[in-house]
Amino acid sequence: MKLKGRAIFEGKAEGQALVSSSPMSFYGGVNPDTGEIVERGSELAGQTVKGKVLVFPHGKGSTVGSYVLYRLAKNGVAPSAIVNAKCETIVAVGAIISEIPCVDMVDVRKIKPGVRVSVDGATLEF
Amino acid sequence: MHLTKEEEAMLAGEQGHATRIAMQILVALGKIYDAERLVKVSSVQVSGVSYKNLGDAGLEFLTELASDGKARVKTTLNPAGMSLTDWKSQGIDSGFAEKQLQVIDAYRKLGVEITCTCTPYLAGNEPSFGQHIAWGESSAVAYANSVIGARTNREGGPSALAASLTGRTPLYGLHVSENRVPTIAVDVEAQLSLPEDFSAMGYFVGREAKDGIPYFRGVRRAGLEDLKTLSAALASSGGVAMFHLEGLTPEYGMGAKNLEALTFTGKELAETNALLNDEGAPDFVSIGCPHCSLTELATLAKLLDGRRVRREFWVCCSREVKRQGDEAGYSKLIEASGAKFALDTCMVVAPVEELGYKVVSTNSAKACHYLRNAGLKVRFMPLEECVAEATRKD
């Protein structure tokens, strides 16, 4: 299937979809050294974002979360791409400064966990 | 989004690497929030200073920007994770201190004034009514929009810095008049006699209002200290970036017709006070979240005069307000009691949980919120009772 969204940070990437149905907080929610999701109550707790196409509705929590994305990238454990229903400041800024391809305005419910997703600019294919 | 020729040049990298990254951030935000253009700002307050939050990657990012970036408008800085001069006596480890000072050096190189305060409006960064600004620090954002009538969204560290490096921010959200109207009314029936009552009210209303704009009815007077702590509390339990006080704040005239209304009575006040009190005897007392005003230093000096503090007691304020306190003779009385000034930092951004304290007594609902998140127990009480706790013989 092909979905066209809006590119927040343009780039090409691919990976397995890691899908959260609830909003994600990076500050306090993801370990910046390992990429492990540590947010209490998250359906993805214990999984790693490393190399995944991370799919979630939108970001939440502290704006320091942008720097957590940057730390993940510097530590080599960042997601390969981010897909949101509606991107907000924390994730957008984090994606730009970390150079992680980021697309929003897509129906994220169509992306099933575990499928292989490729991202190219504003287009997703899986 | 429409960009001017100069803005296009910034985006193309013609004015350097840092300006380019800054412009990329602003353009992406403009796209997300449907801004039609950028608007020039006159003042910036940058958050994202404590090394505790930035880590090595944040430090690296700032160092990279500082290689060719420069602030284009007045830019001040949020508190750091320690006092920049007296970190040793605060018990801060030298590894942390070294990194924190590197963060400060990067900001200095970027042309940011090293004010290290969450109350820039008490330390020389004073925008006026109607001006577009780009501020991080949620309590200062709520204060600037609501009390001063300047216009800012809730910026994060990088987006505020991007505004500083370009002198611009996307025109959306609270920069636009129609988005500054109230979304929820609050009928205040509780007797608000202390700043701490405003703090508790803010904590209660923030949870209900989320990121809306509350319109308070029934508050007859509010001083700077009341408004400062109300702003902080609203922005910590919720995402409030602006509020109106009927008859008191500059833009209340828009009115609040046909809005859903909350009621804040003595019962809600008592329940919020109870909610912010854990079990346990305080081993750490801290005042100044947001950073103390000169009036608060005067009150503290009076309460502490001739008394002896028996627990770690931090008085958090900006260097500017401390200097005014020195001149007025307040600082001497405060320090003579054994209380310590915590300049450049505060109990929320310093790694207090790593200093071995367990239960913190404070007069700020915002501080209670964040200290609890850091794993500490909290006791919320009025300033006078904080002093009583600090001076109590066991």
Side-chain angles (χ1 to χ4, degrees), chain A residues 16-102:
Chain A
Q16 205 183 22
L18 185 64
V19 183
S20 168
S21 59
S22 49
M24 282 188 72
S25 168
F26 285 88
Y27 181 62
V30 180
N31 181 321
D33 298 317
T34 62
E36 190 193 337
I37 295 171
V38 292
E39 182 156 354
R40 262 182 289 175
S42 164
E43 66 205 83
L44 301 181
Q47 302 211 51
T48 173
V49 300
K50 182 184 174 182
K52 303 282 172 50
V53 172
L54 189 57
V55 182
F56 54 102
H58 57 86
K60 63 166 186 174
S62 168
T63 56
V64 178
S66 303
Y67 288 122
V68 173
L69 275 167
Y70 189 78
R71 290 173 70 176
L72 290 168
K74 288 286 169 184
N75 290 326
V77 295
S80 65
I82 292 173
V83 179
N84 283 169
K86 182 87 172 90
C87 197
E88 47 58 70
T89 306
I90 304 165
V91 172
V93 170
I96 291 164
I97 65 178
S98 322
E99 305 188 337
I100 299 170
C102 178

Side-chain angles (χ1 to χ4, degrees), chain B residues 47-322:
Chain B
S47 57
V49 184
S50 176
Y51 176 71
K52 180 171 108 174
N53 295 335
L54 288 169
D56 283 331
L59 171 58
E60 204 175 309
F61 174 70
L62 293 171
T63 308
E64 188 189 315
L65 284 188
S67 66
D68 72 345
K70 264 284 180 271
R72 292 181 198 232
V73 294
K74 184 170 187 77
T75 305
T76 50
L77 200 58
N78 236 25
M82 61 181 204
S83 162
L84 303 185
T85 49
D86 301 322
W87 51 269
K88 273 194 193 123
S89 71
Q90 287 180 328
I92 302 287
D93 124 324
S94 61
F96 181 92
E98 190 187 327
K99 297 285 191 179
Q100 183 64 74
L101 292 172
Q102 286 175 19
V103 170
I104 297 299
D105 278 345
Y107 278 122
R108 191 177 282 117
K109 223 176 144 201
L110 281 161
V112 176
E113 291 177 35
I114 309 304
T115 47
C116 290
T117 180
C118 52
T119 55
Y121 49 89
L122 299 179
N125 191 349
E126 301 162 62
S128 42
F129 181 84
Q131 281 186 334
H132 295 281
I133 63 176
W135 281 17
E137 172 46 36
S138 61
S139 72
V141 166
Y143 188 93
N145 278 316
S146 318
V147 181
I148 300 174
R151 299 181 167 210
T152 178
N153 288 317
R154 259 168 84 112
E155 302 294 347
S159 63
L161 193 55
S164 173
L165 299 180
T166 59
R168 288 154 170 87
T169 195
L171 183 64
Y172 74 94
L174 292 173
H175 290 283
V176 180
S177 299
E178 67 205 45
N179 298 327
R180 297 170 70 84
V181 299
T183 60
I184 184 167
V186 184
D187 288 308
V188 181
E189 292 169 12
Q191 181 79 31
L192 306 176
S193 42
L194 295 169
E196 290 78 13
D197 298 333
F198 281 83
S199 193
M201 180 170 76
Y203 198 74
F204 175 82
V205 173
R207 284 190 307 174
E208 305 290 329
K210 302 199 171 64
D211 58 358
I213 301 181
Y215 182 95
F216 293 91
R217 290 188 286 235
V219 179
R220 284 195 299 279
R221 65 185 77 81
L224 186 150
E225 291 69 29
D226 303 324
L227 296 164
K228 175 164 77 77
T229 197
L230 173 64
S231 300
L234 282 166
S236 60
S237 64
V240 172
M242 181 166 188
F243 61 88
H244 302 278
L245 292 179
E246 193 169 75
L248 296 175
T249 55
E251 292 171 75
Y252 83 89
M254 300 168 175
K257 290 192 191 83
N258 308 321
L259 286 181
E260 176 202 343
L262 294 173
T263 310
F264 186 75
T265 68
K267 179 170 166 276
E268 282 79 24
L269 176 60
E271 282 171 3
T272 309
N273 284 334
L275 179 78
L276 293 169
N277 271 280
D278 297 321
E279 297 287 310
D283 51 10
F284 185 95
V285 181
S286 189
I287 301 296
C289 170
H291 275 171
C292 286
S293 67
L294 188 60
T295 304
E296 286 171 303
L297 294 191
T299 308
L300 265 177
K302 204 168 145 196
L303 290 170
L304 286 168
D305 188 7
R307 297 172 84 174
R308 188 80 209 136
V309 162
R310 292 185 161 78
R311 275 155 205 86
E312 184 78 359
F313 188 170
W314 285 17
V315 179
C316 307
C317 74
S318 65
R319 286 187 184 264
E320 172 57 26
V321 168
K322 164 73 165 44

Side-chain angles (χ1 to χ4, degrees), chain B residues 294 297 320-332:
Chain B
L294 188 60
L297 294 191
E320 172 57 26
V321 168
K322 164 73 165 44
R323 189 190 58 72
Q324 294 167 10
D326 292 350
E327 283 177 8
Y330 304 145
S331 307
K332 208 165 58 187

